[in-house]
Every structure is written in C-alpha cells, then in structure tokens.
Amino acid sequence: MELHPDERSDPHTASMLLHSVLRLNDVMEHSLCLHLGINETDFHALQHLMLDHPMTPGDLAAKLNISSAATTALIDRMSAHGFVIRSAHPTDRRSLLLHPSPLAVSRTMTALRPLFADAEHAIHGLTPEGQRSVVRYLEHILAAMQNRIDTLTPPAATKKRNERS
C-alpha cells in the first residue's frame, strides 16, 4: 500500500533543502543588516523603497505595520546613514516622497550580486527541461506560501495588506 504524500514520515530532499533555504534567508538578511549597519526594520524599509519606491512615510508605515512616530524615527536613522532621500511630493505639498539613495542601492546590490550571479549560473547549468521543473516547483512553493499567508492572516489585516501592496 502506497502512502499519500501528506502521510509520508520522511520529507523529500527538495523539501528539506527548501527549509534550509528559508532558514539561510533569515541568516543572510541578518548578515546583510550587519554589513549595511542597520537593523532589520530599517532593512525591510529599504527593501520596500528599492522595490516599490517612491512612497510616502504613511505608505512605508503601512507596509512595515509600524506607527507614524516609529516611521519618523526610522526615516531619520536611514537618512543619517545616507540610505533614504526625502523629496517634495509632486501633488501634495504637505507630504514627502521617500526614495532609496544611490548609496543604499549600490551597497545592497554589491553585497547581493554574487549570490544572484551564482543562482543564474546554477539555473543555466541545467537542461531546459530541468529549468522548467525548477520554475514549476518554485511557482508552486510561492503559491503555497501565499495561501498559507492568506490563511494565517486575519481578514482585516489581509485587506489592509492588499490595499498597500
């Protein structure tokens, strides 16, 4: 009698490796924070600014789920490090737009570029079918992660997160 995949006691090697990747991602993030001289909240802010910029302080506060006072302190710290640039909002005189500084982008990308290059080298070392298999697996994992996030997040928080994404 064959067991259903959910009933197997030993996880597949790919599942164990994925677990290791997720754990190492946390370690990598911590190492990058140390390298940049910032804390993890500031790093998450920098990630949002690099991927979603420009944004207002209120937008950043919503993305990080922190208070406006904490956001002001964060922006001041990041500005002191030379990682955030404040500019006037083009349509709202009372608001600012936040941008990642060229220094922040350069230091972050310089630190991560070897990892990205290694990943590209690894995927291009596979056959086209192997590459498609990796892509399908990762797409499935991303969908499963999003499903878990949606299941674990209360509806009001999900609505707020989707509104600010």
Side-chain angles (χ1 to χ4, degrees):
M1 175 175 139
E2 188 165 321
L3 291 175
H4 185 273
D6 294 340
E7 298 170 348
R8 292 186 182 133
S9 60
D10 295 329
H12 190 280
T13 302
S15 297
M16 292 186 323
L17 289 170
L18 175 63
H19 181 74
S20 294
V21 166
L22 294 172
R23 281 186 300 130
L24 275 178
N25 184 67
D26 290 343
V27 175
M28 180 68 164
E29 185 176 286
H30 180 73
S31 295
L32 194 52
C33 288
L34 291 173
H35 175 77
L36 296 173
I38 59 178
N39 67 42
E40 291 184 19
T41 302
D42 294 358
F43 179 70
H44 291 149
L46 183 58
Q47 283 182 304
H48 286 298
L49 291 174
M50 288 176 66
L51 296 172
D52 305 329
H53 74 85
M55 66 178 56
T56 66
D59 293 337
L60 185 59
K63 292 250 184 205
L64 297 172
N65 196 27
I66 61 175
S67 70
S68 60
T71 304
T72 299
L74 178 148
I75 294 166
D76 289 345
R77 278 192 312 273
M78 296 293 284
S79 207
H81 274 94
F83 287 174
V84 169
I85 297 171
R86 298 172 174 133
S87 65
H89 194 288
T91 59
D92 183 353
R93 292 183 332 177
R94 298 167 295 155
S95 188
L96 295 172
L97 286 179
L98 305 172
H99 307 264
S101 72
L103 172 68
V105 173
S106 173
R107 288 194 57 206
T108 302
M109 294 311 297
T110 298
L112 292 175
R113 194 168 288 117
L115 175 63
F116 298 153
D118 287 347
E120 279 295 305
H121 179 73
I123 196 72
H124 288 292
L126 300 175
T127 65
E129 180 53 37
Q131 292 175 16
R132 286 190 292 275
S133 293
V134 169
V135 168
R136 281 192 306 270
Y137 178 73
L138 292 174
E139 287 172 342
H140 179 79
I141 295 303
L142 289 172
M145 289 175 79
Q146 186 61 59
N147 184 48
R148 256 320 59 208
I149 290 166
D150 293 344
T151 300
L152 296 171
T153 306
T158 301
K159 182 176 186 256
K160 285 181 186 176
R161 186 186 74 243
N162 290 338
E163 287 173 357
R164 62 182 185 245
S165 294

